[in-house]
Each structure stands twice: as C-alpha cells, then as structure tokens.
Amino acid sequence: MLYNQLRGIVDMTPIEVEELNRLKDRIFKKMGDENEDAARLELERLSQYLIAGLPALYWSIDKSNFKGDAKAKTLVLHYCEKLSDALECGQGIIFSGPYGTGKTSLACIIAKEAIAKGYTVRYISIAKIIDMIMESFYDHDAKSRLDIIIARVEILILDDLGKEYHGVRAQLNPMISLKLDSLLRERMNRRLVTIATTNYDIKAIKQAYGDSVLSIIYGACKMVEVHGSDYRLLSNKFWKEIDV
C-alpha cells in the first residue's frame, strides 16, 4: 500500500499510528463487514492523507467542491495538470491572503492530486517545523526526521508562514529566518516542490525574512493572492441544520 511506502520516507509519530488505527476502526464500523472491499479502498485513500499530515478538516475538500477564489482555483487546476513539469523544475506556490479565504484548502487540493499521482507529500505547519528545528539541536532522531522532510519529500506544504513571528518566540526570529533560508535553498537546489500559505504579502515577507529568503521564493515559487470573505464565518452546515 502507498502509505507503507510513505512510512519508509517519513516515519509516523505514535500519535499518527494511533490516529490510523482509529481511522480504520471508524471506517469499518461505518461501512460494515458486507462492504469490506469498499472499506479497504476508503481506508487506503484516507490513510494516505493522514500519513501525509493533511488535516482531517480538508480531507473532503477537493477541486469539485471548493467554493473560494475562482481565479486561484483555476490556476491550481492548471498547476495540477502540469504537476510532473512542476516537479521537474522544482516550482511551487505561495498562497497569500487574509484568514479563511481558502489558502490551505487550495494547498491541500494540490496535495491530494499529488498523492493520487504517486508523489510523496508532507503537510506541516511552520510552527511545527520550528519545533523540529529546535529539537534537532539536541536530538539526533529529530534532526534525521527533519532532514528527510527537507531533502526527500517531493512536495512539502508549509502552512501559516509568518505565524511564528507572533508571541513568545519573537527573540528567535533571526535564527528562524536563517533556518528557513537553509530549508528553502536545500529544496530549491534539489528541485523539490514547496507549497506555502501565508497572511503576508511580498513586502511583509521581505521585512520578516530578508532579501535572501525573498530571492529564493522568487526563484522557486509563484506568489498567488487568494481573495474572498472568511468562509469560516459564512457557513457551518452542522449548526445550520440543528439551530432553531
């Protein structure tokens, strides 16, 4: 199974193993023994998303039901059609825009298309990457996991670029910029694809990370602005159905 192939590239954490077991139990309980073959296919599909780190919130969102920025969606669909070419030359995308406009949804649509085509994918928040960088200074296993993600995963999705600049870790910003520069440069040199989401525009990225990171972004990514209202505030099917 593909998720076993992925495990050979990115080791699952104990939490992810537990989630995979719960997912299996939930699918087979829902579909019943009489639909065992269909249940196995569903487990195979969803387990690939889980192993890739895609948040469960985005598992059901795809190119057929995305309701956000139509122009950005069209670009993503064309990008997915040319995914092999993008991997050949190492060209990714940075989705920029306000909260809730569908940046992560668009990134996950690319991720699922890539998984379906057999590419290795890993979604990870920038905050988690920073945690892994910090751990890698004193933990050899953490360093090995980070090195694998940086150097071997074909499509890396970094979510919420810039969010690490808020809060108690502000004093680490110079180190973060240096490490981000190293991460992006390594992936660019290997022609690996990096997809990122951010609330920053080009000016804010330059101010936060400096000219070096900005230069790498220009060389390895296309900046795509995602427009629209915060869809999180516009709809919630669960509460609409029961609210009186």
Side-chain angles (χ1 to χ4, degrees):
M1 299 176 96
L2 180 56
Y3 66 81
N4 285 328
Q5 296 172 17
L6 282 172
R7 289 184 66 177
I9 297 174
V10 181
D11 289 337
M12 294 179 67
T13 66
I15 292 176
E16 287 171 335
V17 172
E18 183 179 340
E19 288 177 347
L20 182 59
N21 289 330
R22 287 202 303 267
L23 178 64
K24 179 180 178 181
D25 291 341
R26 186 166 67 248
I27 289 173
F28 277 85
K29 182 177 180 180
K30 179 180 179 180
M31 302 188 73
D33 294 338
E34 67 276 11
N35 296 309
E36 183 176 346
D37 289 343
R40 290 188 183 280
L41 288 174
E42 182 70 354
L43 176 62
E44 169 73 4
R45 183 178 70 88
L46 296 183
S47 64
Q48 291 178 59
Y49 299 164
L50 191 153
I51 301 304
L54 303 187
L57 178 65
Y58 299 95
W59 289 1
S60 62
I61 299 175
D62 58 32
K63 59 186 179 183
S64 68
N65 58 23
F66 177 76
K67 304 298 183 183
D69 189 322
K71 183 177 179 180
K73 176 184 175 180
T74 297
L75 183 141
V76 164
L77 295 182
H78 291 162
Y79 181 82
C80 289
E81 290 173 358
K82 299 287 188 179
L83 196 54
S84 61
D85 294 333
L87 283 156
E88 185 69 25
C89 57
Q91 285 296 303
I93 298 174
I94 295 184
F95 293 107
S96 172
Y99 292 106
T101 52
K103 300 183 299 295
T104 302
S105 294
L106 291 167
C108 287
I109 288 171
I110 294 173
K112 286 185 280 189
E113 289 290 311
I115 290 170
K117 293 179 179 179
Y119 298 112
T120 53
V121 177
R122 187 68 174 177
Y123 168 104
I124 191 164
S125 69
I126 191 68
K128 180 60 177 177
I129 279 285
I130 300 306
D131 287 341
M132 294 179 72
I133 289 172
M134 299 301 293
E135 291 171 8
S136 70
F137 290 134
Y138 57 85
D139 185 329
H140 182 267
D141 290 339
K143 184 179 186 304
S144 295
R145 288 193 296 271
L146 181 62
D147 288 344
I148 288 171
I149 289 173
I150 292 172
R152 294 184 61 190
V153 171
E154 290 168 299
I155 298 178
L156 176 63
I157 297 175
L158 294 177
D159 200 32
D160 273 337
L161 185 67
K163 199 169 186 178
E164 78 281 0
Y165 268 67
H166 303 288
V168 297
R169 288 193 277 191
Q171 71 275 13
L172 301 176
N173 288 348
M175 182 275 291
I176 291 171
S177 295
L178 183 63
K179 288 296 182 180
L180 183 63
D181 181 302
S182 176
L183 182 156
L184 293 174
R185 191 176 300 278
E186 179 72 13
R187 291 187 60 79
M188 181 179 69
N189 289 340
R190 292 176 179 269
R191 292 186 177 177
L192 298 170
V193 167
T194 303
I195 308 288
T197 71
T198 183
N199 298 124
Y200 284 4
D201 58 16
I202 283 292
K203 182 178 179 180
I205 289 175
K206 178 179 180 179
Q207 183 176 0
Y209 298 109
D211 289 330
S212 180
V213 168
L214 187 62
S215 176
I216 297 170
I217 288 172
Y218 274 134
C221 297
K222 178 178 177 63
M223 198 84 170
V224 176
E225 293 186 13
V226 183
H227 303 282
S229 302
D230 188 339
Y231 71 89
R232 296 167 185 157
L233 301 178
L234 296 177
S235 64
N236 190 312
K237 184 178 179 181
F238 173 79
W239 290 113
K240 282 186 175 181
E241 291 178 346
I242 66 173
D243 199 12
V244 293

